[in-house]
Each structure stands twice: as structure tokens, then as C-alpha cells.
Amino acid sequence: MKHFWLLLLLFTLSIQAQFQINGIVKDATANKPLAFATITYADGATTISDVDGKFNIVSKKEIAFFNVSYIGHLKTKVPVLFGKNYYAVFLIPKTDNLKEVVVSNKNPALAIIKKAIENKNKNNPQKKLSSFEFKSYNKLIVSANPDSLKGEIDSVFIEKSIGKTFSKIDSSAYKFKEIVSKQHLFQTEKVSQYQFGNQKLKETILGTKMAGFKQPIYEILGFNLQSFSVYDSSYELFETKYNSPIATDSQLDYNYKLLDTIAINGRPSYMIYFKNKKKSKASGLEGVLYIDQNNFAVSKAVMRIKGVLDISGIHEFQYIPQEEIWFPISKTFKIVKGKNDDDIKILGGTVQFDGDVEKDFKPRKKTASDFTYLVSKTDNFDIQYNTPIKIKQSYISVEIKEAAINKPDSFWESFRKDSLDIRSQKTYSGLDSIAVKRRIASRIRFGRKVINGYLPLVFFDMDLRKIISYNNYEGFRLGFGGITNDQFSKNFRIEGYSAYGTKDGNFKYNAGLSARVGKLSDSWIGASYTDDVREIANTLYVIEKRPFKLYDPRPINISTFYNYVTWKATFKTQILPKTESIWTLNRSEIEPKFDYVYNLNGKLYPNYIMTTAMASLQWNPFSDYMQTPNGRVEVEKRFPKFTLQFTQSLPDVLENDFKFSKIDFKTEYEKKYLDGQKTNLLFEAGYATGDLPLTHLYNTSPNNITKESIIQRITFGGKNSFETMYFNEFFSSEFVYFQIKHGFNRVTIFKKVKPTFVLVSRMAWGNLQKPEQHLGLDYKTLNEGYFESGIELNQIFKGLGLTAFYRYGPNQLPRLEDNIAIKLSFTLNLGL
């Protein structure tokens, strides 16, 4: 989801002078680009060519010449000519020196990398230093180089039977150049304080300024563009993790080559080029590590990935002699558009790409997004280390103070490394006026609400889930509902819904009121009344956020429901670290809507009253959180996650009929592999003791209907349900459930048919205490276990997919076809 925001800024916002030259470095003999050649200019300043041999020199003053060097090649000096801004540099190989680099089949670069890995803990500031803190200034812009744009006004013609006919004048290129000549497309600044202690790193944002927005987009501030440390076993670039080139097992993934030697901070360093061994187009991480020749620490790092986007991250360090350590002093992150076989659609617009170049390749006309780039530069200062540090709320990784949002100009001038140039100054004034004119903040607010399942209507957000649904008991369920938003009040909420079932002919209602009692912990206390129906024996974790779906396929064939009329008091809070919790007190009148009677010691209960207290908690100990003035946001979801729910009946309170306890537990783990595959593990268990009717026990989520043939049983598959288990086939008072899914990369069958291939296995065991108490339904228990496995082919075409599952083990049915379930699947991608 967060990728969506930066892609949006990068490709759809197309709406102080520097000396700059560009060029490419090639081998003079082979005529092939030389990746990561060293370019030296202006008083020893350096840059390097990229993986395609291309380089860019930006200087505040004019330069007379620059030097280009590459190991095994003769160094060359290139004079800068007036009016020329592109240079093709050809380096001549030195055959004698090449023989010296390769010594008896040993790779000198590999030996250096091994030394760097051995000394990681000695050189990693987060391992060697007990504590440190510093401030940082970050500036992120989305822009384009005006000199790269033609800015012509074109005539557009359309083909007709009589030939080409004039259609219209296209001035988009002219307007785009006119805009970027005056200002950037987007710009944001940020000043932060970083603190490290007790092996925890926290960022406190002291000031933030985002062009066009009075309130910043917190999703962008929480975006992790590149790893803080180059020493982590996984390196992160644009929220994608790659095996680090200096991870313990990095030699399995990377090839290394010694390029050159260079002095950084007066200390000699090796330049080691690394590249992923895989030959695929999306071949992963590559770049250059500068390794100190004395202590084998990383003195500079350049990381790069090429694909739909060309992304680079540069880390620069300063040597601290007192500690004999290289400390990070700056980071640079840049995105430009790469290549892709298919165009990408964003918010109704299309971003065009060039695919593989074929023999008869005809270049298309360049669009604004071809020249647009995003660059983020962070500079660190006021560095202190090994001093006592007390980090408040260390479980929060990023904190944004409310006072950070509207800082005066004097604040920014005190932290900027350089004063804003004319383009940057005009960006703020220009985008602020555009944002007001085009109501950009309202549009983003609208998009954020819709993606989460709500349609904002001034002071009220309509719940899109309530409009229409279908199940086999109610038929079509038509309704309207929602909740008041911050424009109504930030401290009070009114919510509710009403629905009507076309098959059962009954109305359902809900109404609730809540008040905020804690801002930072996002704590709310409230009360509600509900008269509705619910599937029997279905475990519902109150704390879990329901993802927005245009449809929910599983309830379509459910016909056994119970009616509940509930009064509820609720307390919701995030006061516990990395934990969300809901605490409730309920009084419910339950009426089963199917043939069922509960027999308790000879007394029959066709309906009953249940008064309960419940605590529902979700604990995400490995996730990172951002504290904003509006509440706490999970910015980095990590696994495993744990959900616990405990329900206790309250005897002799508000006419409660039964005495029981119920505990439910779920944990989920997900591992994403560097090659794009993904494994998901899900474990769930429930235990109910005491006197509890069948309506509130466990059915382990069946999703198969009782029909004669396989074809008749084809419906939509669920996410974690048993596809071969028939509705009301099994009930339990205690159970355990385990699921494993492994997803492979998308397989290209045809250009537009690229399904994802997923292997799934599910199993469950259970037991039913006191089965004699439940009268009316014919069912089985899970004492011997239940097993199914299957294949999912998702997103075969336009989001549609096909799944097939097979039931085996002790509960396998006599007829082969009764053990097979074929289902449809549908995946809706709201981002791209």
C-alpha cells in the first residue's frame, strides 16, 4: 500500500543553477559499458558510473576536466568543452595489469569480502557503540531536468480511410517543461533526532514540511526507502529486502570483482563490485562496496536494483579515529523509471514502459514519466556516542510530535545544509496553491477512506461493506451504515447500520456511541445495541481488522444462523506496547434460527441469555510503529503476530443462563524469500469449558455445500477455510488447526496470463465435550483429525483464479468425487 503513495508521486504529479554533464563509460575494445567506473572532478570530488556505465556530474561551479579510471584500463583525462554536456568515454584495457589482478585462480575481491564479514561486529556502530544519537536533515523531491525535455507543441492526427486527419493540438510536453523549469513536482523536508540505546533505534521527527499539504501524509513519512545500516543480514531498498552482500552466506548469492582503490577521509579503500548470480531480468541487488584497507569496514556503499523502477541507494560514512569506526553521515536514494513488458495503470492513468528491445523495435514517443525522478538526501550532524541516553517509548520506532507540523521558516533555515534554490522555493508556494485549487488533500483523504472500505460523505463515512451481501439464510442483504469522522468530532463517534434480508424478511439494526479517553494510546470507551444474525460456531476475533472486500465469498452458502440482541459496553486501547486490545461487557439474547435445542441437566433451552466479559488482544512484538498526532500506525508489519481472546460468562448477572469459559488463540507467520516466493503459516486453537450451546462452539470454518456432483459444488473459495469440509459436518468444544501455504512466483503462460501458483495444506483435530446436550443437528467430531491439500492458481485472468482441494485421512468419504472441491478465486488489487 505504501508503494502506492510514492509511485503516485513519482508518475502522476506531472504537472539555483548547477553545472551538469552526463556521459557513458565504455571499454574501447569490446564497446561494452563499464559499470561503476570512477569519475574524479573538481578538487577531488568523485562519482561512479551506474550498472549501464552511465554517469552524471553535478557541481555548483564549472569544471575544466574530469578523470575516468577503471581497474585493468588506462586512466584518461577528459577536457570539458563549452556547450557540450554529454561525453562518451572509451577506456583502453591494460593487458599486463589484468594479469596481476587474477592470481592463481584466487579472487582477491572474495578474500576482502570475507575479511569484511569477519569484522562486521567490530565495525558496526550498533554493535561496537553502547549508544549514539544525532540529528538529520532530509529533503525529498520529485522532479525532472528541464534540459532533458524538448517541450514541443505537437499536432495529433488520427488514421481514417482517407488518410490522416488533424485531431487536436497536444501541448502537454510544453506545459510539463514550463512547470519543471520553475518548480519541482513534489517536495518535502524533515528534521529528525535519532537515538540508539539498549539495541533499539528510535527516530523522533522534530519538523516536517510537505509541499501542498497542511497535514503531512504519514504513509510517506513512515516509508523505509533504504536500510539504516549496511551491516544487517538483509538489506532493504524501497521496502524490499535482499540478502546483504556482506551477509554470512552472501557468497552463495553474489559474484565479486575488485574494481579499483580510492582514498576516503584520507584512508585507502578497496572498491568491490558485487552482482547477484541470477540471470533473470529482476536479478536483485548489485553495486559497489568501499572496504577500508586497514580495518575492513564499509567506508561507502552503493546499492542498486533494476526493474520496473531503477532504484539506487548510497551510504556515506565519516571515520571517527577515537573509536576507530566509520559512522554514517549521509544517505541518498533515487528512483527513475526502468523497463517493463506491460504498462502500469494508476488511478485511471497509464504509465508507459519500454519492454525488451526486439529487432523491429520502434521507439515510442517519450512521456513526462520517462524524465521524472525521485531523489531523497539525508545528512546527519551533531553526532554523539557512548553517552547516557534515555529513550522514551522505545517500542515506537518513529514518533511525530504535533509541534513538528507547522514550524516557522527560521527553524528550517537553521537545519538546511544549503539554502533553498529558486525552484525549491517556488515548489512550496506553487504546490500549496495547486493543492487548494484541485482539492488534493480531499482527494487523498477520499482515496484512503475508500481503500479501507468507507465512502466519506462530509461528516459521515458510509461503510461499503453494508450495502449488499448474500447468504443462504437472509438471501440478498441490503443495508446502509457507517460512522462519523473527524470532521464531525475527533473525540466522539456515532456509528450504526440497518439491513434487510430479502429471504428471511427481517430488518437488522445496530447503533453505538463512543468517546476518546486517551489520544496517544487511541483509547475509546463506548456502548452499543445490536439486533442481528450470525453464523453458528464461527470464531470471530473482535480485535482483528476486517480487510475491505467487494465480496465475501464464504457466507454465500451458509444457512444456519442465530439471532442475537446485544447490549455492549466497550473499551478499546493501544496503551500496552505493540498491542491493541478491546475489552467488552455483553448481555445477549440468543435465538437459534435452525432446528436446535440445548439440553442442560434435563432443562431444554430453545433460546437463552448470555452475559459475558471478554478481552481480545493482538500483539505484534516484531512490528515497527509510528506515533502520529492522530494515533499509532503499524508502519512495518513483521511476523509472527499473536491474537488472544478470552470470554468468561458472569453467573447470576443480568439473567445469564450458563456458566462457561472460552479461550481462543491464533498466530500467523509469513516469510518472504528474496526470489519473490512466500510461505505463510497459520496456527489456531480454541478451548471451551462449562455449559456452552452449539451456537458458540467451533465449526473450524467449513466451505463446501452438500450437492451431488463436483460441478454443482463450485463456489468461491475462502482464505483459510476447509474447502472440502461440508457445512455443519463437524463441531468441537476444543480444537487445533494448522495451515501452510507456499506461493511461487507468477508463471507467464501468455503475455496477459500470469497466474500465481500456491500449494496449500490444512489439518485440524478436535473434541466435543457433552455431545448429549446438543439436540437437533446431525454432526461428527474431529477426534481422528481432518486433512486436505490443494493447489491455488490465482489471478489467471483479470483477478480470477481457480483452486482444487482433496480430502484425505480418517475422515475421507467413500466416494472419490465427494472428497474433491473445485473453487473459484478472485483477487482485487486496489493499488495498481
Side-chain angles (χ1 to χ4, degrees), residues 247-395:
T248 305
D249 60 347
S250 60
Q251 297 162 48
L252 299 175
D253 294 323
Y254 295 99
N255 290 318
Y256 300 92
K257 180 181 179 181
L258 178 61
L259 294 181
D260 209 341
T261 59
I262 191 172
I264 300 178
N265 285 182
R267 294 174 65 87
S269 295
Y270 299 110
M271 289 179 64
I272 306 295
Y273 169 60
F274 63 90
K275 181 176 176 60
N276 198 286
K277 292 181 178 180
K278 296 180 180 178
K279 302 296 184 181
S280 61
K281 288 192 295 182
S283 57
L285 202 63
E286 63 180 307
V288 174
L289 293 176
Y290 296 71
I291 306 296
D292 188 304
Q293 293 185 16
N294 296 316
N295 62 4
F296 296 95
V298 178
S299 54
K300 184 177 179 179
V302 179
M303 310 291 194
R304 176 84 182 269
I305 54 174
K306 291 189 67 178
V308 175
L309 303 174
D310 283 356
I311 306 172
S312 61
I314 300 175
H315 297 256
E316 297 189 78
F317 301 82
Q318 181 180 18
Y319 187 70
I320 303 175
Q322 302 93 317
E323 298 295 331
E324 298 181 340
I325 197 170
W326 288 87
F327 196 87
I329 57 167
S330 73
K331 292 193 304 183
T332 304
F333 174 87
K334 188 173 183 179
I335 304 178
V336 297
K337 193 169 77 170
K339 291 183 179 294
N340 190 40
D341 287 335
D342 300 311
D343 296 338
I344 290 179
K345 294 182 179 179
I346 302 179
L347 296 184
T350 300
V351 180
Q352 293 180 309
F353 288 85
D354 293 325
D356 291 336
V357 178
E358 300 174 357
K359 183 178 179 181
D360 299 324
F361 175 76
K362 184 179 180 181
R364 61 174 174 80
K365 180 184 175 183
K366 297 297 182 181
T367 63
S369 67
D370 291 295
F371 304 99
T372 305
Y373 64 84
L374 179 150
V375 63
S376 172
K377 178 70 184 297
T378 303
D379 293 301
N380 303 334
F381 53 94
D382 289 352
I383 301 169
Q384 302 177 42
Y385 46 87
N386 290 336
T387 58
I389 294 177
K390 185 178 181 181
I391 304 177
K392 297 180 180 179
Q393 293 183 309
S394 59
Y395 58 90

Side-chain angles (χ1 to χ4, degrees), residues 21 63-67 76-82 84 87:
I21 57 176
I63 60 175
F65 63 90
F66 60 91
N67 294 307
T76 187
K77 181 178 181 178
V78 182
V80 176
L81 305 177
F82 179 77
K84 184 178 180 180
Y87 294 81

Side-chain angles (χ1 to χ4, degrees), residues 690-729:
D691 302 320
L692 195 59
L694 195 71
T695 51
H696 290 69
L697 294 180
Y698 305 105
N699 62 10
T700 55
S701 195
N703 193 31
N704 205 8
I705 56 176
T706 308
K707 296 288 186 180
E708 184 66 21
S709 68
I710 297 175
I711 301 299
Q712 289 176 308
R713 295 196 297 270
I714 292 180
T715 57
F716 280 95
K719 183 181 179 182
N720 302 316
S721 54
F722 279 107
E723 302 301 328
T724 59
M725 183 185 290
Y726 296 91
F727 288 105
N728 301 329
E729 187 178 2

Side-chain angles (χ1 to χ4, degrees), residues 215-232:
Q215 297 289 327
I217 303 173
Y218 296 120
E219 291 89 342
I220 293 177
L221 294 177
F223 205 101
N224 190 22
L225 298 176
Q226 60 192 120
S227 285
F228 175 82
S229 174
V230 297
Y231 291 101
D232 293 340

Side-chain angles (χ1 to χ4, degrees), residues 560-742:
T560 46
F561 286 78
Y562 65 89
N563 175 251
Y564 65 100
V565 178
T566 299
W567 290 93
K568 179 191 296 185
T570 305
F571 176 62
K572 178 182 178 183
T573 184
Q574 296 184 43
I575 197 168
L576 298 175
K578 299 194 176 185
T579 302
E580 297 180 59
S581 62
I582 295 178
W583 308 73
T584 67
L585 181 64
N586 307 267
R587 183 190 185 274
S588 300
E589 299 177 13
I590 308 297
E591 181 185 356
K593 293 297 183 179
F594 58 102
D595 185 17
Y596 175 74
V597 175
Y598 184 55
N599 179 12
L600 180 59
N601 300 323
K603 185 176 180 180
L604 302 181
Y605 288 89
N607 48 60
Y608 31 86
I609 295 174
M610 304 173 72
T611 305
T612 59
M614 185 189 69
S616 186
L617 302 92
Q618 187 171 75
W619 181 42
N620 307 323
F622 303 102
S623 294
D624 286 339
Y625 284 83
M626 176 170 62
Q627 182 71 58
T628 76
N630 295 334
R632 196 170 300 163
V633 181
E634 188 179 6
V635 291
E636 180 69 24
K637 296 181 180 180
R638 295 194 181 99
F639 296 89
K641 295 170 173 284
F642 304 94
T643 306
L644 178 68
Q645 188 164 282
F646 178 71
T647 306
Q648 177 63 54
S649 67
L650 303 177
D652 305 321
V653 176
L654 300 176
E655 304 177 282
N656 176 56
D657 285 322
F658 311 124
K659 182 179 180 181
F660 63 88
S661 301
K662 187 179 180 184
I663 186 167
D664 304 308
F665 172 78
K666 179 164 70 173
T667 182
E668 185 175 5
Y669 177 78
E670 183 176 284
K671 180 176 177 59
K672 294 181 179 179
Y673 299 91
L674 299 176
D675 61 2
Q677 299 185 60
K678 182 171 69 173
T679 298
N680 182 279
L681 305 177
L682 177 64
F683 175 82
E684 190 171 356
Y687 180 77
T689 182
D691 302 320
L692 195 59
L694 195 71
T695 51
H696 290 69
L697 294 180
Y698 305 105
N699 62 10
T700 55
S701 195
N703 193 31
N704 205 8
I705 56 176
T706 308
K707 296 288 186 180
E708 184 66 21
S709 68
I710 297 175
I711 301 299
Q712 289 176 308
R713 295 196 297 270
I714 292 180
T715 57
F716 280 95
K719 183 181 179 182
N720 302 316
S721 54
F722 279 107
E723 302 301 328
T724 59
M725 183 185 290
Y726 296 91
F727 288 105
N728 301 329
E729 187 178 2
F730 296 92
F731 288 97
S732 306
S733 57
E734 52 199 60
F735 81 101
V736 292
Y737 166 90
F738 179 71
Q739 172 184 272
I740 179 170
K741 286 187 176 184
H742 183 81

Side-chain angles (χ1 to χ4, degrees), residues 186-204:
F186 178 75
Q187 178 174 281
T188 182
E189 294 177 277
K190 180 179 70 170
V191 174
S192 300
Q193 180 183 39
Y194 284 86
Q195 295 177 299
F196 174 78
N198 296 323
Q199 299 302 308
K200 294 183 178 179
L201 180 68
K202 180 180 180 181
E203 176 189 5
T204 302

Side-chain angles (χ1 to χ4, degrees), residues 300-554:
K300 184 177 179 179
V302 179
M303 310 291 194
R304 176 84 182 269
I305 54 174
K306 291 189 67 178
V308 175
L309 303 174
D310 283 356
I311 306 172
S312 61
I314 300 175
H315 297 256
E316 297 189 78
F317 301 82
Q318 181 180 18
Y319 187 70
I320 303 175
Q322 302 93 317
E323 298 295 331
E324 298 181 340
I325 197 170
W326 288 87
F327 196 87
I329 57 167
S330 73
K331 292 193 304 183
T332 304
F333 174 87
K334 188 173 183 179
I335 304 178
V336 297
K337 193 169 77 170
K339 291 183 179 294
N340 190 40
D341 287 335
D342 300 311
D343 296 338
I344 290 179
K345 294 182 179 179
I346 302 179
L347 296 184
T350 300
V351 180
Q352 293 180 309
F353 288 85
D354 293 325
D356 291 336
V357 178
E358 300 174 357
K359 183 178 179 181
D360 299 324
F361 175 76
K362 184 179 180 181
R364 61 174 174 80
K365 180 184 175 183
K366 297 297 182 181
T367 63
S369 67
D370 291 295
F371 304 99
T372 305
Y373 64 84
L374 179 150
V375 63
S376 172
K377 178 70 184 297
T378 303
D379 293 301
N380 303 334
F381 53 94
D382 289 352
I383 301 169
Q384 302 177 42
Y385 46 87
N386 290 336
T387 58
I389 294 177
K390 185 178 181 181
I391 304 177
K392 297 180 180 179
Q393 293 183 309
S394 59
Y395 58 90
I396 300 293
S397 60
V398 182
E399 182 176 3
I400 307 174
K401 302 286 189 182
E402 190 164 9
I405 295 175
N406 295 306
K407 289 291 187 181
D409 290 341
S410 58
F411 171 86
W412 296 104
E413 290 298 332
S414 65
F415 286 109
R416 287 173 182 142
K417 196 172 182 179
D418 298 307
S419 298
L420 291 183
D421 57 22
I422 299 300
R423 285 179 75 194
S424 293
Q425 292 176 24
K426 289 187 175 180
T427 302
Y428 281 122
S429 58
L431 287 185
D432 285 348
S433 61
I434 291 174
V436 173
K437 183 178 179 180
R438 299 186 180 180
R439 300 173 66 245
I440 291 178
S442 297
R443 291 183 179 185
I444 289 179
R445 172 178 166 269
F446 179 87
R448 185 187 286 121
K449 296 280 188 180
V450 170
I451 287 174
N452 288 301
Y454 290 91
L455 180 67
L457 303 172
V458 191
F459 304 112
F460 178 78
D461 294 341
M462 185 175 72
D463 192 341
L464 298 175
R465 301 177 183 88
K466 303 296 184 185
I467 297 175
I468 185 170
S469 60
Y470 182 87
N471 62 67
N472 205 33
Y473 172 74
E474 295 176 280
F476 284 101
R477 177 179 168 122
L478 309 175
F480 177 83
I483 186 170
T484 57
N485 55 41
D486 288 350
Q487 295 190 45
F488 172 80
S489 173
K490 292 185 177 181
N491 298 314
F492 295 95
R493 291 175 180 168
I494 301 172
E495 59 184 314
Y497 65 82
S498 178
Y500 177 77
T502 58
K503 188 174 181 179
D504 69 338
N506 290 325
F507 283 94
K508 291 86 181 175
Y509 310 92
N510 167 268
L513 175 68
S514 56
R516 188 198 295 266
V517 293
K519 187 174 183 180
L520 293 179
S521 61
D522 197 26
S523 298
W524 294 77
I525 188 170
S528 65
Y529 171 82
T530 306
D531 184 347
D532 206 339
V533 295
R534 182 177 296 165
E535 178 192 357
I536 68 168
N538 182 39
T539 303
L540 178 66
Y541 291 90
V542 178
I543 192 61
E544 285 190 328
K545 298 179 178 67
R546 292 171 54 202
F548 172 53
K549 299 178 181 178
L550 288 180
Y551 77 105
D552 189 3
R554 189 179 165 273

